[in-house]
Amino acid sequence: MFNEPETTSEESKNYFTAVFDAARALDPQSRPMTGAFEKNSQPELCKCYQLCDFICLNRYYGWYIKGGPELVDAREAFLIEMNKWKDKNLNIPFVFTEFGTDTMAAEHKLPSIMWSQEYQNEYLDMNFEIFDQYDFVQGELVWNFADFQTTEGIMRVNGNKKGIFNRVRQPKSAAFVLKKRWESLD
């Protein structure tokens, strides 16, 4: 029903309650409804998660939040948030609908640094380790399948590089990290 709106005000709660109510009234199949929450929609602040049949989180701990040398701190911050969600005992599934890190396809660095393939792999492993600690996490969707062009700016080097494949659809090493994870899941 939404992707990364402001959900911490009474105005957002009133607005999205009306949207969800209207959608439910128009849906004769009573399909599950959700929205994707961004980092400001923390469990103690968000006023809209109760509207959802399952919760989608877009999270970038280790990239936009405490990236690079702070990856250990990103892990701890992520765990703090997840424990707050766990304490709510919502008894509904959570799906991570976005997580990822920009990576230059030819960049290798040891020790790893942001933009290197090694960092992307460490970032993914950190996220997987956290997802696996919580039974209510029922899905994960890495952002993004392949690198793609965006507008010019100082935040992106010739586009969004969070892809698991580069612009010509050749795999980065993260593709093999994901393959190994998916093959290991029951």
Side-chain angles (χ1 to χ4, degrees), residues 20-38:
F20 273 72
D21 287 348
R24 284 192 169 97
L26 294 169
D27 182 12
Q29 295 177 329
S30 299
R31 289 171 279 209
M33 294 187 189
T34 191
F37 295 92
E38 59 91 36

Side-chain angles (χ1 to χ4, degrees), residues 1 5-6 8 14 22 24 28 38 44 54 67 75 95 97 104 115 131 135 142 146 155 167 182 184:
M1 300 297 294
E6 188 281 310
T8 61
N14 294 337
R24 284 192 169 97
E38 59 91 36
E44 69 276 16
F54 62 100
R75 181 187 176 282
V95 176
T97 43
M104 300 300 291
W115 296 91
F131 298 162
D135 292 339
V142 69
M155 293 288 292
R167 292 279 306 270
W182 293 337
S184 73

Side-chain angles (χ1 to χ4, degrees), residues 62 66-79 119 126 130:
K66 300 184 181 294
E70 298 180 74
L71 191 59
V72 171
D73 298 330
R75 181 187 176 282
E76 292 308 310
F78 198 0
L79 285 169
Y119 186 84
M126 183 264 298
I130 291 172

Side-chain angles (χ1 to χ4, degrees), residues 37-61:
F37 295 92
E38 59 91 36
K39 68 183 179 322
N40 291 327
S41 298
Q42 293 290 306
E44 69 276 16
L45 301 174
C46 183
K47 299 193 184 311
C48 296
Y49 69 85
Q50 304 90 334
L51 300 169
C52 298
D53 297 308
F54 62 100
I55 293 178
C56 294
L57 297 178
N58 296 349
R59 293 297 186 268
Y60 291 92
Y61 288 99

Side-chain angles (χ1 to χ4, degrees), residues 24-169:
R24 284 192 169 97
L26 294 169
D27 182 12
Q29 295 177 329
S30 299
R31 289 171 279 209
M33 294 187 189
T34 191
F37 295 92
E38 59 91 36
K39 68 183 179 322
N40 291 327
S41 298
Q42 293 290 306
E44 69 276 16
L45 301 174
C46 183
K47 299 193 184 311
C48 296
Y49 69 85
Q50 304 90 334
L51 300 169
C52 298
D53 297 308
F54 62 100
I55 293 178
C56 294
L57 297 178
N58 296 349
R59 293 297 186 268
Y60 291 92
Y61 288 99
W63 187 250
Y64 299 123
I65 304 166
K66 300 184 181 294
E70 298 180 74
L71 191 59
V72 171
D73 298 330
R75 181 187 176 282
E76 292 308 310
F78 198 0
L79 285 169
I80 288 169
E81 178 184 351
M82 292 303 293
N83 286 329
K84 289 177 184 176
W85 284 116
K86 180 181 178 182
D87 290 345
K88 290 198 169 289
N89 286 320
L90 298 176
N91 199 30
I92 61 174
F94 278 57
V95 176
F96 282 87
T97 43
E98 285 186 27
F99 65 102
T101 176
D102 282 280
T103 305
M104 300 300 291
E107 186 67 28
H108 292 279
K109 192 79 168 191
L110 288 175
S112 70
I113 61 167
M114 293 177 86
W115 296 91
S116 71
Q117 290 197 60
E118 291 76 17
Y119 186 84
Q120 186 179 38
N121 294 345
E122 289 173 19
Y123 169 93
L124 291 173
D125 286 339
M126 183 264 298
N127 277 268
F128 299 152
E129 181 253 322
I130 291 172
F131 298 162
D132 292 346
Q133 290 185 42
Y134 300 92
D135 292 339
F136 58 88
V137 175
Q138 295 295 305
E140 55 197 57
L141 179 64
V142 69
W143 181 265
N144 197 352
F145 166 73
D147 296 347
F148 60 93
Q149 191 61 58
T150 60
T151 59
E152 289 184 61
I154 60 170
M155 293 288 292
R156 306 251 189 260
V157 179
N158 193 25
N160 187 304
K161 301 287 193 265
K162 288 185 187 73
I164 302 307
F165 294 84
N166 66 20
R167 292 279 306 270
V168 294
R169 306 309 192 247

